[in-house]
Amino acid sequence: MTESNNDQLKSVSNALRILEYFSNTRTVIYVSEIAKEMNLSKSTVSRLVRTLEKEKFLEKDIYSQGYILGKKILAIAGVLSNTNEIYRELSPVLSDIVQATKESAQIAALDGTDVYYISKISGPYYADINTQIGLKHPFHATGTGKVLMAYQDEATIDAALSQDLEAFTEHTLTNPIRVRKELSKVKEQGYSLSIEEMTYGNYSLAFPVRNYENKVVCSLSIVGPLSRVNNQKLKEYMHILRDATMDASERLGYEP
């Protein structure tokens, strides 16, 4: 590969990295900030941003000197929602879960050893839950991550446990031996309950969803504050989620 081709690939990679800086809590980006975070010159980032703006992936923010996501991103997101089988087939199931529990519900899948969220519907009551579409979380600190990792092959689990497992609260499991035991427990019982492992004051309850090959391809979960749940509520939610994941699995071609 020529040096010119290498430079072009780096430019494409850096442009995509710029788009990844957007989140629900960061809707405007600034060239100077991004240049510092990416360890690139302002001129390089400015050139990339102008290109993204020209192609309508970014727009100038009328209230500041920053940039916001452009209409091209919205168009691509629409294509994804219409063509992604999991998103398309399971969205009605997600709505049913929220209606039945009044809590926020999520669809998630694995990307390597991280969990990313495909879809989320917030419940009618306030919940300070730090998840958003496309956001990634380490598998070991969430009920969703553990229920997905529990059904992976041993090589994948070994690779996941060989990396540093960050503690987000005092309840986060970071010892590989303990995490492996927890994964075995999750697989045996068929669900994962995480309490204050990612954030204080919150819980998540997750069940696996299978496809026509009997493979776990995603999970359904509910998340909410501990103040709104007790043992009786958890039993109700487990029943609701168990039925929902069976419905979701059958929508993806699974035959019990």
Side-chain angles (χ1 to χ4, degrees), residues 149-198:
M149 187 60 70
Y151 290 89
Q152 301 304 305
D153 56 57
E154 285 301 315
T156 301
I157 294 175
D158 289 343
L161 295 178
S162 68
Q163 60 189 359
D164 291 334
L165 303 178
E166 180 182 355
F168 296 92
T169 74
E170 63 185 271
H171 305 291
T172 309
L173 294 180
T174 59
N175 183 298
I177 296 175
R178 291 188 63 190
V179 175
R180 190 183 294 275
K181 288 182 178 179
E182 179 71 7
L183 294 178
S184 296
K185 176 184 174 183
V186 167
K187 187 174 183 179
E188 180 180 350
Q189 65 190 16
Y191 68 88
S192 178
L193 175 63
S194 174
I195 298 177
E196 294 189 311
E197 294 187 59
M198 190 73 196

Side-chain angles (χ1 to χ4, degrees), residues 30 58 89 177:
Y30 300 89
L58 293 181
E89 295 293 338
I177 296 175

Side-chain angles (χ1 to χ4, degrees), residues 19-83:
L19 296 177
E20 290 181 342
Y21 279 98
F22 286 95
S23 69
N24 283 349
T25 57
R26 191 179 194 178
T27 57
V28 181
I29 64 168
Y30 300 89
V31 169
S32 57
E33 290 181 356
I34 297 301
K36 184 177 181 180
E37 293 179 40
M38 295 180 68
N39 196 28
L40 295 173
S41 67
K42 288 184 182 179
S43 61
T44 297
V45 173
S46 180
R47 174 174 53 79
L48 292 170
V49 165
R50 285 197 302 270
T51 300
L52 288 169
E53 181 185 15
K54 180 181 178 181
E55 299 299 328
K56 302 187 185 305
F57 287 99
L58 293 181
E59 295 177 5
K60 263 291 186 63
D61 179 29
I62 61 174
Y63 302 106
S64 70
Q65 296 301 309
Y67 291 84
I68 60 176
L69 289 173
K71 295 179 178 61
K72 186 68 70 65
I73 296 293
L74 183 62
I76 293 173
V79 173
L80 175 64
S81 64
N82 287 328
T83 58

